[in-house]
């Protein structure tokens, strides 16, 4: 035997690596297509599409609520032409594509199928996933459109359609990722995600769309999308608990006998919540450690992994930053010997004890949700949202007190200047003209299509929705006819209505015994006495950004301090926020914007206040805001800018109270022109 053959014979067999992805999309379909092709050329093995907020919430790029949001956090897709451009030169029969889309998931899947058909690709050959988890949108991410019942019907339609027509497609990614981002404990993440999966499978089973003998196939296509945080051992045990609980639920509740249909199949993006603006280079280590939690245990290994970039707490990552995270996955998959071994944790007593404790806690929470009538009922009652707000408040309180150490934030804060963050191009910025370009292309698309075909397919879609029929074939016909995202969504809005989810904000007292909070309450009382009424703070989220965790925490902390909080959740136009602030007599406005649209949206609020003679009401802003934009905001009249690097919520509220005290002596006609002396907190993001 030759030396080469001996070497090959001695090589141990290796498992196939997980799908290696990066989550990407920005500016335009053309720019995003170029990015996808670059990443595939670098060894990425699947695509994960990020859509912009107008697309996620079912609006065309020229809708009033889309102002400032087009192309910011993902790619705008308004019609079939955009989708064709997005996948130009990428053969869909050879691709595994994940689409992070929820309320309009049926529509984006219809566009994807239509593109495949334009390419000459059979539906049955397509592989990929639509996230399509609307329940977690009510709890944490905020890109819902319709009320719970019709939303569940749309998920059911996709599941019933794909198991027949697109059998390799995952119709739903039960998404616990955003639950952890909203503060969920490991037990809550397990319970709330599993309760969501149960609600969907119950709905599919009871819909009459899937014969009993085929139901196992639907169960086998349900996938999950999870989060892995920095508590390394707990995360390994959480994933093993997920696998065991899902096997138990599918066997006992649904009678699935074939073990392959009971397999817990999941993809993962590791935690973005823990990425820090301070010493951001430390995030590289965090991302590595968090990835280990979902690849080390073979029996609970992720089927697909996408990693954030080290600088996502600063802004939009550049292609090089994404490449760095891609290379981390490739080194783990191809250079190490991890894939040559069986599960490293089987039989470990510490692991088994922790897995058992997590399962016990998750089962108890599942039983509580079941008593309420299931996940949908628990959403409507506001129970799950309130519990997430409470858990997140406790998490932040522990960071604020120093009980939880975050390196570079509240421990070991001494640092050298980072060469990685120096220079004007250390983060990617979206061209201001991208939005106008997209709108002009949209207008051109509308003018060139056959309007009678558009009208006919929309009429059929409305009939299908009104009559309770499956809407997928009608939606695919709409896609081919040139219907836009906004038109598809508006048609279903007419049938189903819209929904505003519970905020989870109550009069809860989380850290009421803290000495600094007691002092703050006294200060609020003093300022309220000067005002002649209880101090009021309007916390507002203009535009389409649904990341409400920070706004909720500011609202909770302000309420603890004795401030009357005016917070009605997400998705308000600047005009509406101005009107609400004036009508409700707000003494200060706190705007939370995480999507990168802070400059145009804040400008509209500030100008709107001045136009209504209310320029004396101070405005503070929070979000992921670059230093250069802070200056722009202050110049337009913002009184204070807060970013993720300041985590002391009591200090933030104290500064806002002092601001109101100073401004209360101004005459109403005097406009706020920027004290600008406070920097602050993730709380408003």
């Amino acid at each position: 035997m030759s030396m080469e053959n001996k070497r090959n014979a001695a090589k141990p067999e290796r498992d196939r690596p997980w799908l290696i992805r990066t989550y990407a999309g920005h500016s335009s379909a053309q720019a995003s297509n170029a990015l996808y092709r670059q990443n595939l050329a670098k060894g990425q093995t699947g695509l994960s599409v990020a859509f912009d907020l107008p697309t996620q919430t079912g609006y065309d790029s020229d809708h009033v609520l889309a102002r400032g949001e087009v192309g910011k956090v993902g790619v705008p897709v308004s019609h079939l032409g955009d989708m064709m451009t997005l996948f130009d030169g990428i053969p869909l029969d050879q691709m595994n594509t994940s689409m992070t889309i929820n309320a309009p998931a049926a529509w984006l899947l219809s566009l994807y199928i239509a593109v495949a058909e334009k390419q000459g690709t059979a539906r049955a050959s397509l592989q990929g996933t639509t996230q399509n988890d609307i329940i977690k949108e009510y709890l944490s991410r905020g890109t819902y459109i319709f009320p719970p019942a019709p939303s569940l019907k749309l998920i059911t339609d996709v599941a019933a359609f794909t198991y027949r027509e697109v059998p390799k497609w995952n119709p739903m990614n039960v998404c616990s990722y955003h639950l952890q981002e909203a503060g969920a404990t490991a037990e809550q993440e397990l319970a709330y995600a599993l309760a969501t999966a149960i609600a969907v499978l119950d709905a599919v089973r009871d819909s009459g769309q899937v014969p009993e003998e085929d139901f196992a196939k639907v169960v086998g296509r349900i996938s999950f999308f999870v989060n892995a945080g920095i508590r390394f051992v707990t995360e390994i045990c959480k994933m093993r608990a997920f696998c065991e609980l899902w096997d138990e639920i599918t066997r006992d509740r649904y009678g699935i006998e074939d073990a392959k249909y009971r397999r817990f199949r999941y993809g993962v993006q590791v935690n973005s919540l823990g990425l820090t603006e301070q010493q951001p280079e430390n995030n590289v280590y965090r991302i590595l450690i968090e990835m280990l939690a979902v690849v080390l245990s073979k029996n609970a290994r992720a089927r697909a992994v996408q990693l954030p970039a080290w600088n996502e707490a600063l802004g939009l990552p550049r292609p090089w930053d994404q490449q760095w995270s891609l290379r981390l996955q490739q080194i783990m998959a191809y250079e190490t010997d991890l894939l040559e071994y069986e599960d490293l944790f089987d039989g470990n007593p510490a692991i088994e004890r922790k897995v058992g404790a997590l399962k016990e806690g998750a089962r108890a929470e599942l039983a509580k949700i079941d008593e309420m009538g299931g996940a949908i009922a628990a959403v409507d009652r506001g129970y799950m949202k309130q519990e997430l707000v409470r858990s997140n408040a406790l998490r932040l309180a522990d960071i604020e007190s120093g009980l939880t150490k975050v390196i570079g934030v509240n421990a070991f804060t001494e640092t050298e200047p980072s060469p990685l963050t120096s220079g004007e191009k250390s983060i990617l910025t979206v061209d201001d003209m991208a939005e106008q370009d997209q709108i002009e292309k949209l207008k051109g698309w509308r003018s060139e299509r056959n309007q009678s075909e558009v009208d006919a397919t929309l009429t059929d879609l409305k009939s299908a929705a009104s009559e309770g029929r499956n809407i997928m074939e009608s939606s695919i016909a709409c896609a081919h006819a040139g219907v836009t995202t906004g038109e598809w969504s508006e048609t279903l809005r007419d049938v189903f209505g819209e929904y505003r989810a519970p905020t989870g904000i109550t009069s809860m007292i989380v850290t009421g015994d803290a000495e600094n909070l007691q002092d703050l309450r006294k200060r609020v009382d003093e300022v309220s006495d000067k005002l002649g009424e209880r101090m009021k703070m309007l916390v507002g989220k203009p535009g389409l950004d649904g990341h409400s965790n920070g706004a909720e925490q500011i609202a909770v902390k302000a309420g603890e301090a004795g401030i009357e909080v005016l917070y009605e959740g997400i998705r308000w136009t600047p005009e509406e926020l101005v009107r609400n602030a004036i009508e409700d007599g707000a003494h200060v406005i706190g705007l939370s914007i995480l999507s990168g649209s802070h400059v145009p949206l804040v400008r509209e609020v500030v100008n709107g206040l001045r136009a209504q003679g209310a320029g004396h009401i101070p405005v503070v802003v929070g979000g992921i805001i670059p230093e250069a934009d802070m200056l722009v905001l202050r110049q337009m009249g913002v009184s204070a800018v807060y970013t993720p690097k300041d985590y002391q919520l009591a200090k933030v509220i104290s500064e806002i109270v002092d601001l109101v005290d100073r401004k209360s002596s101004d005459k109403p006609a005097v406009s706020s022109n920027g004290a600008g002396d406070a920097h602050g907190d993730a709380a408003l993001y």
Side-chain angles (χ1 to χ4, degrees):
M1 184 182 289
S2 70
M3 181 63 69
E4 185 65 28
N5 287 337
K6 285 181 180 179
R7 288 179 64 208
N8 289 335
K11 273 188 174 181
E13 289 189 14
R14 293 174 61 87
D15 295 329
R16 287 180 61 186
W18 51 90
L19 275 171
I20 298 174
R21 290 174 168 147
T22 55
Y23 180 51
H26 66 84
S27 303
S28 67
Q30 185 174 13
S32 298
N33 172 261
L35 181 61
Y36 296 163
R37 294 170 74 168
Q38 289 169 12
N39 287 342
L40 290 169
K42 293 173 182 175
Q44 186 174 302
T45 55
L47 291 177
S48 183
V49 181
F51 296 100
D52 73 354
L53 287 173
T55 305
Q56 290 183 51
T57 50
Y59 293 108
D60 286 335
S61 298
D62 57 355
H63 192 277
V64 61
L65 275 168
R67 287 203 302 257
E69 304 280 18
V70 176
K72 284 285 170 56
V73 300
V75 57
V77 174
S78 294
H79 47 71
L80 181 59
D82 286 340
M83 202 69 153
M84 292 176 67
T85 300
L86 187 63
F87 292 104
D88 182 42
I90 301 174
L92 298 189
D93 58 343
Q94 301 174 32
M95 189 50 52
N96 191 304
T97 303
S98 172
M99 294 192 286
T100 302
I101 195 72
N102 293 285
W107 173 241
L108 271 299
L109 177 57
S110 297
L111 288 173
Y112 191 82
I113 291 171
V115 171
E117 291 174 344
K118 291 282 189 184
Q119 289 184 355
T121 296
R123 297 174 178 180
S125 68
L126 299 178
Q127 298 183 70
T129 304
T130 34
Q131 190 167 101
N132 205 17
D133 177 358
I134 204 64
I135 293 178
K136 63 89 180 166
E137 294 299 316
Y138 301 135
L139 298 177
S140 53
R141 181 60 185 85
T143 63
Y144 53 80
I145 301 174
F146 313 111
S151 294
L152 201 55
K153 169 63 166 60
L154 291 177
I155 297 172
T156 298
D157 283 359
V158 173
F161 171 83
T162 53
Y163 100 89
R164 292 190 310 270
E165 298 289 323
V166 199
K168 299 176 184 177
W169 194 267
N170 301 320
M172 184 192 191
N173 227 197
V174 181
C175 183
S176 75
Y177 175 85
H178 293 102
L179 300 178
Q180 188 178 126
E181 296 288 296
T185 64
E187 291 88 348
Q188 287 172 329
E189 188 179 344
L190 286 163
Y192 295 178
L194 293 171
T196 295
I198 289 169
V200 169
L201 287 179
D202 283 357
V204 173
R205 180 192 59 195
D206 299 340
S207 70
Q209 294 197 57
V210 179
E212 184 178 349
E213 61 270 20
D214 288 346
F215 186 65
K217 296 178 182 178
V218 175
V219 174
R221 295 315 305 181
I222 298 296
S223 62
F224 290 74
F225 186 70
V226 307
N227 204 327
I230 198 65
R231 291 178 59 78
F232 169 67
V233 176
T234 297
E235 295 295 342
I236 290 175
C237 295
K238 181 189 76 181
M239 296 321 308
R240 292 172 69 94
F242 254 136
C243 293
E244 294 176 19
L245 286 167
W246 185 240
D247 184 76
E248 179 184 302
I249 289 167
T250 52
R251 183 189 66 237
D252 298 346
R253 187 181 182 97
Y254 300 111
I256 307 302
E257 296 179 359
D258 191 333
K260 73 179 180 182
Y261 292 135
R262 302 199 307 264
R263 189 178 302 131
F264 185 83
R265 300 178 311 115
Y266 77 98
V268 64
Q269 172 160 320
V270 306
N271 190 278
S272 293
L273 182 67
L275 300 182
T276 64
E277 181 182 1
Q278 306 93 316
Q279 301 180 26
E281 60 276 6
N282 297 342
N283 294 330
V284 175
Y285 304 128
R286 294 185 176 106
I287 292 166
L288 168 60
I289 292 167
E290 289 164 354
M291 184 182 75
L292 291 176
V294 296
V295 299
L296 284 185
S297 180
K298 178 178 179 178
N299 294 337
R301 183 171 292 149
R303 295 171 66 88
V305 177
Q306 58 192 46
L307 303 179
W310 67 280
N311 58 350
E312 283 193 16
L314 305 178
L316 194 62
R318 301 158 298 184
W320 183 87
D321 304 313
Q322 289 195 332
Q323 176 184 299
W324 199 2
S325 288
L326 175 65
R327 295 295 183 244
L328 170 56
Q329 289 203 60
Q330 291 169 327
I331 290 167
M332 180 62 66
Y334 299 113
E335 289 192 24
T336 78
D337 57 354
L338 172 66
L339 298 181
E340 298 171 10
Y341 290 90
E342 295 303 307
D343 197 291
L344 307 177
F345 299 97
D346 283 354
N348 183 301
I351 295 291
E352 289 179 357
R353 281 195 303 272
K354 183 63 176 176
V355 170
L358 290 174
K359 287 167 63 177
E360 183 179 353
R363 286 195 192 102
E365 192 63 27
L366 277 168
K368 192 179 299 184
I369 293 169
D370 198 43
E371 287 176 8
M372 295 178 190
I376 294 296
V379 167
D380 275 336
R381 287 178 55 170
Y383 167 74
M384 288 196 284
K385 180 65 173 178
Q386 182 174 317
E387 290 304 300
L388 289 175
V389 171
R390 188 189 309 276
S391 295
N392 205 18
L394 290 170
R395 180 189 69 84
L396 290 170
D398 286 346
I399 295 173
E400 194 170 358
S401 69
L403 184 63
T404 297
K405 296 284 189 293
V406 181
I407 306 307
V409 175
N410 64 0
F412 308 107
T413 55
E414 301 78 8
T415 184
E416 297 295 327
S418 171
L420 292 174
T421 58
S422 61
E424 293 182 2
K425 296 184 179 180
S426 59
I427 59 172
L428 181 66
T429 56
V430 175
D431 188 342
D432 289 338
M433 289 303 297
E435 180 167 325
Q436 192 56 45
D437 289 345
Q438 173 67 11
I439 290 172
E440 291 303 316
K441 290 176 183 176
L442 175 59
K443 290 177 179 176
W445 175 266
R446 289 195 189 111
S447 68
E448 294 172 6
R449 63 190 182 172
N450 185 322
Q451 191 60 43
S452 62
E453 289 184 18
V454 169
D455 294 340
T457 56
L458 285 173
T459 297
D460 185 57
L461 173 66
K462 188 169 187 176
S463 296
S466 301
E467 296 164 12
R469 293 187 280 118
N470 192 301
I471 55 92
M472 282 303 299
E473 290 292 3
S474 298
S475 296
I476 295 169
C478 285
H480 279 295
V483 166
T484 68
T485 297
E487 291 166 340
W488 181 89
S489 300
E490 191 61 32
T491 298
L492 296 188
R493 281 184 172 96
D494 288 344
V495 178
F496 299 142
E498 289 192 82
Y499 185 70
R500 187 168 288 280
T503 66
I505 301 301
T506 67
S507 57
M508 67 177 71
I509 300 296
V510 180
T511 56
D513 293 333
E515 183 178 344
N516 62 349
L517 191 59
Q518 293 174 5
D519 293 340
L520 182 53
R521 284 200 194 109
K522 293 177 183 176
R523 178 72 178 129
V524 170
D525 289 341
E526 291 172 1
V527 174
S528 296
D529 288 342
K530 288 184 180 180
L531 295 169
E533 60 180 331
R534 178 56 48 180
M535 177 181 162
K536 294 180 183 178
M537 178 179 182
L538 184 142
V539 178
K541 289 194 65 63
L544 297 175
D545 174 30
H547 284 103
S548 59
N549 304 329
E552 290 155 5
Q553 293 308 312
I554 276 289
V556 168
K557 186 63 69 174
E560 281 189 299
I563 297 170
E564 183 178 340
V565 177
L566 310 169
Y567 176 64
E568 297 296 332
I570 63 172
R571 214 176 299 170
W572 295 89
T573 66
E575 294 83 356
E576 288 171 331
L577 291 175
V578 168
R579 184 180 66 246
N580 293 346
I582 294 172
E583 289 180 354
D584 294 335
H587 301 105
V588 61
I589 298 172
L591 300 178
S592 165
I593 307 168
L594 195 62
S595 63
S597 303
H598 40 269
V599 171
L601 291 175
V602 172
R603 181 180 289 115
E604 288 191 43
V605 171
V606 171
N607 289 344
L609 288 169
R610 288 171 177 160
Q612 296 298 318
H616 60 284
I617 302 176
V619 175
V620 299
V621 179
I624 296 179
I625 300 173
E627 192 71 36
D629 286 353
M630 292 183 192
L631 179 60
V632 172
L633 293 173
R634 292 190 184 104
Q635 287 174 339
M636 71 173 64
V638 169
S639 296
V641 179
Y642 294 88
T643 75
K645 67 173 172 288
D646 296 317
Y647 60 93
Q648 296 282 355
L649 304 196
K651 181 175 181 288
V652 171
I653 298 299
S654 178
E655 291 172 347
I656 291 173
V657 173
D658 289 344
L659 174 64
V660 171
D661 190 16
R662 292 196 305 272
K663 292 292 184 180
S664 66
S665 62
D666 290 350
K667 295 179 181 178
V670 176
S671 296
S672 170
N673 59 7
D677 57 353
H679 297 267
D681 170 83
L684 284 182
Y685 75 48

